[in-house]
Amino acid sequence: GIEFIDSYVFNKAEYVRFNSTVGRYVGYTEYGVKNAEAWNSDAGILGQEQAQLESYCKHNADIHYSAILDKT
């Protein structure tokens, strides 16, 4: 399967991340935890992240996978 990770970084430190396998945001700092709690309670925001997995990741993975198979 495909795993989509959307990381948010400030001053080179990741503070919150969406992971499609978990299906929610995880915070790594106090600020990140607060953002994760807010975003996880918003079905619209979670839906946008899941849509990225479907529309961008899976679409492009199919293209790259086909290109790789064509060369073998």
Side-chain angles (χ1 to χ4, degrees):
I2 296 172
E3 182 175 59
F4 171 61
I5 295 175
D6 191 5
S7 295
Y8 294 76
V9 177
F10 180 73
N11 281 346
K12 300 182 181 179
E14 182 179 30
Y15 65 94
V16 67
R17 170 192 295 182
F18 175 83
N19 181 317
S20 66
T21 301
V22 178
R24 56 190 287 114
Y25 291 91
V26 176
Y28 298 103
T29 65
E30 183 180 355
Y31 178 69
V33 168
K34 288 180 181 178
N35 278 282
E37 288 173 355
W39 297 344
N40 286 332
S41 67
D42 188 324
I45 293 175
L46 291 176
Q48 289 175 359
E49 292 285 15
Q50 290 293 350
Q52 289 277 1
L53 171 67
E54 296 298 324
S55 65
Y56 181 79
C57 298
K58 290 186 177 177
H59 171 74
N60 285 297
D62 288 342
I63 292 170
H64 294 303
Y65 189 65
S66 296
I68 291 167
L69 289 182
D70 290 344
K71 291 181 172 36
T72 56

